């Protein structure tokens, strides 16, 4: 019980600076609160939600992803491991709440010209490819440079041929994939797999989240270029 209380206090401390800054700005701009009761209740829900979610991640997602990463070595072929991780990367992206909110906003702003479902699935495909590349990096003990440099060149080319608003949207979608679902799952699977096959998890186990971001941005821009 004491540990839970300390964790909840830590959530309050981490949230306090942002909350204080926003409240001070609201007071400086003399913008009144619509309802103090609603604000207080919402604040309590935010704190409780963050607390419950972070505990859930540490108790469930992190050990689950680590166990899956460690167990992947039981599959008979490396190609099958990569294929499984492609599926994990795709499905985990569909769960990300931030991406769904962003896609909904994009569809509303463009008056349906940019469909939210297309944006979500294009991002998910890119994330899956990025996760596949990251797992290949772990399996074959490769340097991150081999993947990052070509992806950056590809992104530069796609940025030049894509519409300006698509470029911004693509990178926002990529950032949205680095949410509370993808980060613990992707990173812990990579670290667990690296530990299981005996390579340095500090060198090849990290960087997978970055690869999923780069591939997600490239996938969205490519989808706009070929007019999916």
């Amino acid at each position: 019980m004491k540990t839970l209380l300390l964790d909840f206090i830590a959530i309050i401390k981490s949230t306090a600076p942002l909350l204080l800054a926003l409240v001070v700005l609201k007071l400086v701009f003399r913008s009144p609160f619509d309802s103090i009761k609603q604000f207080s209740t919402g604040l309590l829900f935010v704190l409780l939600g963050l607390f419950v979610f972070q505990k859930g991640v540490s108790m469930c997602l992190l050990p689950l992803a680590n166990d899956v990463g460690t167990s992947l070595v039981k599959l008979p072929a490396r190609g099958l491991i990569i294929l499984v991780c492609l599926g994990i990367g795709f499905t985990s992206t569909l769960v990300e709440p931030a991406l769904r909110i962003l896609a909904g906003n994009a569809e509303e702003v463009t008056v349906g010209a940019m469909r939210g479902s297309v944006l979500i699935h294009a991002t998910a495909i890119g994330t899956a490819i990025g996760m596949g590349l990251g797992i290949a990096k772990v399996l074959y003990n490769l340097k991150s440079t081999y993947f990052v440099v070509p992806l950056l060149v590809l992104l530069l080319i796609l940025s030049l041929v894509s519409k300006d608003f698509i470029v911004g949207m693509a990178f926002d979608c990529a950032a949205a994939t680095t949410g509370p679902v993808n980060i613990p799952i992707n990173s812990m699977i990579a670290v667990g797999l690296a530990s299981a096959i005996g390579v340095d998890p500090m060198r090849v186990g990290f960087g997978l989240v970055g690869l999923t971001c780069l591939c997600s941005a490239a996938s969205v821009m490519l989808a706009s270029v070929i007019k999916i």
Side-chain angles (χ1 to χ4, degrees), residues 8 11 37-53:
F8 185 67
I11 292 293
K37 181 180 179 181
Q38 178 180 331
F39 173 80
S40 303
T41 304
L43 175 60
L44 179 61
F45 285 166
V46 167
L47 295 174
L48 288 175
L50 286 172
F51 170 71
V52 172
F53 181 80

Side-chain angles (χ1 to χ4, degrees), residues 6-208:
L6 291 175
D7 289 341
F8 185 67
I9 292 174
I11 292 293
I12 295 176
K13 288 181 178 179
S14 63
T15 310
L18 173 62
L19 180 66
L20 182 62
L22 293 175
V23 170
V24 168
L25 286 173
K26 190 172 180 64
L27 294 175
V28 168
F29 296 141
R30 297 181 180 179
S31 175
F33 289 95
D34 295 331
S35 171
I36 295 295
K37 181 180 179 181
Q38 178 180 331
F39 173 80
S40 303
T41 304
L43 175 60
L44 179 61
F45 285 166
V46 167
L47 295 174
L48 288 175
L50 286 172
F51 170 71
V52 172
F53 181 80
Q54 289 192 15
K55 291 302 293 183
V57 168
S58 63
M59 293 170 64
C60 175
L61 286 184
L62 290 178
L64 177 62
N66 186 69
D67 289 344
V68 169
T70 304
S71 302
L72 283 174
V73 294
K74 298 178 182 178
L75 293 175
R78 291 180 176 181
L80 189 56
I81 294 176
I82 295 174
L83 185 62
V84 168
C85 290
L86 283 171
I88 293 174
F90 183 83
T91 53
S92 64
T93 305
L94 299 180
V95 181
E96 282 294 349
L99 178 60
R100 291 192 168 274
I101 293 172
L102 178 63
N105 290 339
E107 183 170 351
E108 181 180 349
V109 170
T110 59
V111 198
M114 174 61 71
R115 288 181 295 166
S117 59
V118 172
L119 198 59
I120 290 172
H121 285 88
T123 305
I125 290 172
T127 303
I129 294 172
M131 187 162 183
L133 292 176
I135 294 302
K137 178 170 74 81
V138 174
L139 290 173
Y140 296 100
N141 198 16
L142 300 173
K143 294 182 179 180
S144 298
T145 312
Y146 297 161
F147 299 92
V148 174
V149 173
L151 283 172
L152 289 175
V153 173
L154 176 62
L155 281 170
L156 177 60
I157 296 172
L158 289 172
S159 298
L160 295 174
V161 299
S162 301
K163 294 181 179 179
D164 187 55
F165 79 93
I166 290 293
V167 176
M169 192 179 298
F171 282 103
D172 280 350
C173 287
T177 62
T178 60
V181 178
N182 265 333
I183 287 182
I185 290 178
N186 294 355
S187 59
M188 289 309 296
I189 284 178
V191 170
L193 179 60
S195 301
I197 63 177
V199 296
D200 184 6
M202 286 298 295
R203 190 176 72 80
V204 297
F206 291 93
L208 190 146

